[in-house]
Amino acid sequence: MLFHSLEFFVFFPVVVLVYFLVPKKVRYIWLLAASYYFYMSWNAWHLLLIFCSTFITWASGLFIAACRKETGSGMSPKLVVAISFAVNIGILAVFKYFDFILYNVNIITGAFGWNALEKPIDIILPAGISFYTFQALGYTVDVYRKAIEPERNLLKYALFVSFFPQLVAGPIERSKHFLSQINKVGELDFKMLFDCDRIAAGLVLMLWGYFQKLVIADRVSILVDTVYNSVYFYGTVELLMATVAFSIQIYCDFASYSTIAAGAAKVLGFELTENFNTPYFSASIREFWRRWHISLSTWFKDYLYIPLGGNRCGRIRRHVNIMVTFLVSGLWHGASWHYVVWGAVHGVFHVVGDEMDRVRKRISSTSGLDGQVRYGRMGQVVATYGLIVLSLILFRSETLPQALYVIKRILTKPNPWALTDGTLYKLGLDDTQAGILITALAALFLVSFVRYWKKETLDVFLARQCIGFRWLAIIGLFSFTFLFGIYGPEYDESQFLYFQF
């Protein structure tokens, strides 16, 4: 069930209405039932997987607490965590990485002349498995670290793992932040729950998310797919433009899902973690990862990078920890070598950035000069964005050889005349569609700039404006999305990009 499908436009109002009307004590049960129904709409059998992950991590939390109370039980909390990770990562590996592992095993065995192994079954990747697996494993570690007490109510914990707005593409919620909200659901009376200002703010966020998805992401994807599906037809200009367009597509596509999820959760009275904070305004790769996919970046930092040693060890070991973290992050994004290389590239960017910081500090301490470029942030932002765009060639390509081929054509097939001879209007978008996209991108930049400068999300910013401006902005946004969004009877609904992860 996609957020921009007719089914969801029926499903969500019904869920909200019943949620407001049912007795306090069964609200979380209703949300759990709605969440399971939402997930079953993708594949009913995959519900067994999410329940398996839920039960194992829930039981692990209870076992960890029991092991601490009974010191002579024979099982240590570390062993419980290890078992929980082994089972959950094992399930994830089977469904997400089995083909990748088999492919590479066959390459190795083929080099020795051995027969290739055949895949016994066709495995369908369950929607959101990487997201809910990481969320559930984060809970296990939090209990082990005594950051939270184990949740004894299985149904409440199941809602934590499967809450439908953020179930299939995040953000990855932390147990301390979200379980506490679930436990307070039964304490709110109707007046507190039916807060018109909060509901209005949630609907504004959902509308902004739909604008990003339907007007921008799905429109710019036409240009990106046109070029990347036939890269051998195009030269430097088209390939670079398509890659820049992909940077817009992936941001608007993923940020739109997170925004719609945050809005839907807010309507229901929940606050989700902010997942994007103007990442393309970053002045360094390090800053970019503090602003991009924040819930995943912080998950890797807290549950992988820090356990590896983080910044507490020597310089070389710290760089190794960074590289391992980014390599795993690349593999998390996809079971293919081009994702692994993409992660490695960002790891290298991060390490080089650290070394450059050391050089600047050394210059500053020995010369007395400021090692930072004062007034140079704009140039740093442009340079950082350029590095991100170049790395996205690896992310968008289907395979590593294709990515290398795209890079080769960019370097060896210059065609500056494509900027003026009308070639750019033969990439799937005509003059009208290009005009709509440019207007929408101007609106995106304006909202992003306000978010960056004022440090306020759109719903908070609009709430502070006069009622006339507020309604004008909302009506204009709704009208533009309704009139120029890409949908309709002949439109093949595009899934959100991060569903594949």
Side-chain angles (χ1 to χ4, degrees):
M1 188 187 301
L2 297 170
F3 275 169
H4 54 304
S5 65
L6 180 60
E7 291 86 352
F8 184 80
F9 292 140
V10 174
F11 167 81
F12 185 64
V14 171
V15 171
V16 173
L17 180 62
V18 175
Y19 176 69
F20 285 160
L21 296 178
V22 296
K24 297 179 183 179
K25 293 183 178 181
V26 298
R27 282 176 186 156
Y28 72 93
I29 298 176
W30 167 248
L31 285 183
L32 177 60
S35 297
Y36 276 179
Y37 175 81
F38 178 84
Y39 195 70
M40 286 174 64
S41 69
W42 301 97
N43 187 313
W45 289 107
H46 289 168
L47 188 64
L48 296 175
L49 292 175
I50 194 172
F51 183 76
C52 179
S53 179
T54 297
F55 184 80
I56 290 170
T57 50
W58 172 75
S60 297
L62 298 180
F63 270 114
I64 290 169
C67 289
R68 289 202 177 101
K69 291 181 180 178
E70 301 176 17
T71 54
S73 62
M75 181 177 288
S76 70
K78 281 187 178 181
L79 179 59
V80 177
V81 174
I83 293 173
S84 178
F85 265 73
V87 174
N88 281 277
I89 297 299
I91 293 173
L92 181 62
V94 168
F95 282 89
K96 186 170 182 176
Y97 300 105
F98 182 80
D99 287 352
F100 178 66
I101 295 171
L102 184 63
Y103 172 77
N104 287 282
V105 167
N106 282 335
I107 290 178
I108 296 172
T109 57
F112 292 95
W114 299 339
N115 294 329
L117 300 174
E118 295 183 2
K119 187 169 68 169
I121 55 174
D122 289 327
I123 299 177
I124 301 174
L125 180 65
I129 187 171
S130 297
F131 290 92
Y132 71 69
T133 298
F134 272 30
Q135 184 159 310
L137 289 177
Y139 164 82
T140 303
V141 177
D142 288 344
V143 173
Y144 172 76
R145 292 175 175 173
K146 300 182 181 180
I148 60 166
E149 290 296 318
E151 175 57 57
R152 300 190 176 277
N153 187 316
L154 175 58
L155 298 184
K156 287 184 178 180
Y157 178 73
L159 177 59
F160 161 74
V161 176
S162 63
F163 185 54
F164 74 87
Q166 47 85 223
L167 172 57
V168 295
I172 301 171
E173 286 296 327
R174 298 299 181 87
S175 52
K176 188 173 184 179
H177 174 251
F178 200 63
L179 268 174
S180 60
Q181 296 184 58
I182 292 174
N183 285 316
K184 291 179 181 178
V185 163
E187 301 174 5
L188 303 177
D189 59 30
F190 180 79
K191 289 184 178 180
M192 295 175 66
L193 193 63
F194 193 77
D195 183 336
C196 292
D197 290 339
R198 189 202 72 241
I199 294 172
L203 293 175
V204 167
L205 282 178
M206 293 181 74
L207 179 58
W208 176 240
Y210 284 120
F211 173 83
Q212 289 177 287
K213 171 63 176 173
L214 297 173
V215 179
I216 300 179
D218 287 350
R219 179 168 275 104
V220 79
S221 70
I222 298 172
L223 186 155
V224 175
D225 293 344
T226 298
V227 175
Y228 267 88
N229 289 345
S230 303
V231 293
Y232 41 82
F233 285 146
Y234 301 105
T236 302
V237 170
E238 297 95 338
L239 290 169
L240 281 178
M241 184 173 183
T243 308
V244 170
F246 179 66
S247 73
I248 297 169
Q249 179 194 356
I250 194 172
Y251 169 71
C252 288
D253 195 285
F254 193 23
S256 68
Y257 189 96
S258 297
T259 304
I260 297 170
K266 181 166 283 193
V267 170
L268 292 165
F270 296 90
E271 290 289 336
L272 297 184
T273 302
E274 184 178 29
N275 221 12
F276 290 87
N277 182 0
T278 58
Y280 292 151
F281 286 8
S282 302
S284 68
I285 294 296
R286 185 190 296 112
E287 182 183 350
F288 170 77
W289 282 106
R290 290 199 299 264
R291 294 174 175 272
W292 176 277
H293 203 343
I294 299 168
S295 64
L296 180 66
S297 300
T298 55
W299 196 98
F300 276 118
K301 175 187 174 183
D302 293 342
Y303 300 121
L304 179 59
Y305 177 68
I306 290 177
L308 286 173
N311 296 330
R312 303 186 305 275
C313 41
R315 181 163 58 94
I316 301 300
R317 175 64 183 278
R318 184 173 70 251
H319 292 341
V320 171
N321 294 340
I322 289 172
M323 290 302 301
V324 169
T325 302
F326 276 100
L327 285 170
V328 174
S329 174
L331 189 60
W332 179 91
H333 280 85
S336 179
W337 284 113
H338 63 100
Y339 289 116
V340 177
V341 176
W342 169 81
V345 166
H346 272 270
V348 170
F349 287 162
H350 210 99
V351 169
V352 171
D354 280 353
E355 289 301 304
M356 290 179 66
D357 283 345
R358 291 182 69 252
V359 171
R360 282 195 291 266
K361 289 177 182 178
R362 185 173 298 176
I363 293 173
S364 178
S365 62
T366 57
S367 67
L369 299 175
D370 187 356
Q372 297 291 333
V373 180
R374 199 180 296 273
Y375 310 120
R377 182 174 175 86
M378 180 60 71
Q380 293 172 331
V381 169
V382 172
T384 300
Y385 179 68
L387 292 176
I388 293 166
V389 168
L390 291 177
S391 73
L392 285 175
I393 295 173
L394 289 161
F395 201 97
R396 176 57 182 82
S397 299
E398 297 294 331
T399 63
L400 183 57
Q402 186 193 45
L404 296 176
Y405 180 72
V406 169
I407 294 172
K408 177 182 177 181
R409 288 192 70 85
I410 289 175
L411 296 175
T412 61
K413 300 293 181 180
N415 58 335
W417 54 85
L419 294 169
T420 57
D421 66 0
T423 298
L424 300 183
Y425 289 111
K426 299 176 183 178
L427 302 181
L429 298 178
D430 57 22
D431 292 8
T432 302
Q433 293 297 321
I436 294 171
L437 180 58
I438 291 171
T439 303
L441 289 176
L444 174 67
F445 178 82
L446 180 61
V447 172
S448 299
F449 184 78
V450 169
R451 173 70 186 92
Y452 176 78
W453 188 258
K454 295 289 187 179
K455 298 183 175 16
E456 293 178 339
T457 54
L458 180 62
D459 58 317
V460 174
F461 174 76
L462 287 180
R464 294 196 306 102
Q465 309 307 312
C466 67
I467 190 169
F469 178 85
R470 189 159 63 241
W471 276 107
L472 181 64
I474 293 172
I475 292 172
L477 186 61
F478 176 82
S479 300
F480 201 88
T481 304
F482 181 78
L483 292 173
F484 302 118
I486 299 182
Y487 40 64
E490 297 182 359
Y491 171 58
D492 182 17
E493 287 178 339
S494 175
Q495 286 197 4
F496 290 87
L497 287 177
Y498 264 68
F499 281 11
Q500 63 185 294
F501 309 130

